[in-house]
Amino acid sequence: MRDLSTLPKAHLHVHLESTVRWTTLREIGDANGVPVPARPASLDGFAGFFEQNSLVRSCLRTYADFHRVAREFCADEAAQGTRYAEVSFTAAAHGERVGDPDLPLAAVLDGLATGFTESGVQTRVILDHSRRRPVERAWATLDLARRHDAVVAIGLAGDEAHPGDPFVPVFAAAREACVHVVHHAGEAAGAESVRQAITSGRAERLGHGIRVLDDPALVAEVRERGLALEVCPSSNVALGFAPSLAEHPLPRLLDAGLTVTVNTDIPAIIDTTLTQEYDHLRTLHGLTDAELATLARNAVNASFAPPATRDRVHTEINTWLT
Ligand SMILES: [Zn+2]
């Protein structure tokens, strides 16, 4: 049985704000006068997540804060066998909050560059925009993306009760500007949210997407268009979108012939790692090493990584398997 921490991985769905080590959060909170409890509160569904997320946001204020969490993200991912990550960051919202639209993203990109030098984990950034927030901020998000080569994509996140339609012109403009588009859809909301994301929303990949299973015709469409799903089992369970890891729909997504990738979404908040997510698939669902390697390859193929990176990680996955 191979060590899954050494399986070379691409990590496509992970929010930087939800990767912050608790010890780091306490130190940063302390320096900025924000009280942080000794231990994270146990997560109570989506409301609990919003509370945790808002605590993290209120702690992150300076260039050094953003730089540190980005750098530590690389170190933590290296320990998971991650070779390449596309990390989501809500840059425009942080910029508004700290009163400088460019500082948070600039600090994160610098921190990721330092992290790459130290740990070898290559990264690109996805700028997410909450569906609850104004369209103007989504345009500001696209503006940031266009000005930074390390930003490969933008997309909608947040409460799926809010429709994606108001943002359609932003994502059309993104595709015109060769900025990729990836939306959260089919997590809380049903098949309709997936349909909107992949048609007028212009999504090239789906964040979560598990509720595509609600509609067999949509399953066929997503499969035929080759759209990959960024599946995050432990997050789905913690936030109440799947009853348990054992009953998670991931095996059914595979049976339906969909392109599945494995991700953590909010690892620090729910105390998981990318290796643990692969391990659950081995222990709870009986996936073989060859099948787990296929999932790792899916993530490389669905990524926006440069061709040389993709080739290198594919070779490393083959070596792991043989
Ligand atoms: Zn997410």
Side-chain angles (χ1 to χ4, degrees), residues 13-15 49 88 128 157-158 184 187 207-208 230 232 235 265-266:
H13 190 131
V14 56
H15 298 266
F49 165 70
S88 289
D128 60 334
H184 287 59
E187 179 193 23
H208 299 288
E230 304 158 2
C232 312
S235 166
D265 196 17
I266 50 172

Side-chain angles (χ1 to χ4, degrees), residues 86-118:
E86 286 171 9
V87 58
S88 289
F89 183 57
T90 321
H94 290 292
E96 284 179 29
R97 187 173 52 78
V98 304
D100 182 337
D102 290 298
L103 178 145
L105 181 59
V108 163
L109 294 178
D110 289 349
L112 293 173
T114 304
F116 172 64
T117 307
E118 292 170 345

Side-chain angles (χ1 to χ4, degrees), residues 224-246:
E224 275 148 32
R225 290 169 67 154
L227 295 168
L229 272 56
E230 304 158 2
V231 181
C232 312
S234 292
S235 166
N236 295 151
V237 173
L239 299 182
F241 300 125
S244 68
L245 285 174

Side-chain angles (χ1 to χ4, degrees), residues 27-243:
E27 286 175 27
I28 292 177
D30 210 30
N32 291 332
V34 180
V36 176
R39 272 172 295 282
S42 64
L43 204 61
D44 181 19
F46 220 56
F49 165 70
F50 277 122
E51 213 167 288
Q52 293 267 21
N53 203 31
S54 126
L55 173 66
V56 174
R57 279 201 309 266
S58 62
C59 288
L60 296 172
R61 296 192 181 175
T62 68
Y63 176 94
D65 300 339
F66 289 105
H67 187 281
R68 177 176 177 181
V69 300
R71 181 181 168 191
E72 291 181 353
F73 167 74
C74 292
D76 293 345
E77 285 297 312
Q80 303 307 315
T82 300
R83 301 295 198 273
Y84 171 83
E86 286 171 9
V87 58
S88 289
F89 183 57
T90 321
H94 290 292
E96 284 179 29
R97 187 173 52 78
V98 304
D100 182 337
D102 290 298
L103 178 145
L105 181 59
V108 163
L109 294 178
D110 289 349
L112 293 173
T114 304
F116 172 64
T117 307
E118 292 170 345
S119 66
V121 176
Q122 194 177 356
T123 52
R124 293 289 187 270
V125 173
I126 297 174
L127 298 183
D128 60 334
H129 172 79
S130 169
R131 296 163 179 270
R132 293 184 298 144
R133 304 301 177 191
V135 176
E136 293 70 35
R137 189 190 284 172
W139 284 113
T141 300
L142 175 58
D143 179 55
L144 284 169
R146 293 173 74 153
R147 288 194 283 114
H148 296 279
D149 288 343
V151 176
V152 284
I154 64 172
L156 291 176
D159 186 349
E160 290 175 13
H162 295 259
D165 291 329
F167 304 100
V168 162
V170 181
F171 297 108
R175 295 289 296 274
E176 280 288 303
C178 298
V179 172
H180 293 290
V181 172
V182 179
H183 297 311
H184 287 59
E187 179 193 23
E192 227 13 75
S193 76
V194 174
R195 194 166 275 116
Q196 192 279 333
I198 67 173
T199 54
S200 58
R202 311 286 299 266
E204 297 159 83
R205 214 166 66 200
L206 289 163
H208 299 288
I210 55 176
R211 287 195 56 190
V212 67
L213 290 168
D214 292 0
D215 180 343
L218 184 61
V219 169
E221 186 175 351
V222 170
R223 185 177 54 227
E224 275 148 32
R225 290 169 67 154
L227 295 168
L229 272 56
E230 304 158 2
V231 181
C232 312
S234 292
S235 166
N236 295 151
V237 173
L239 299 182
F241 300 125

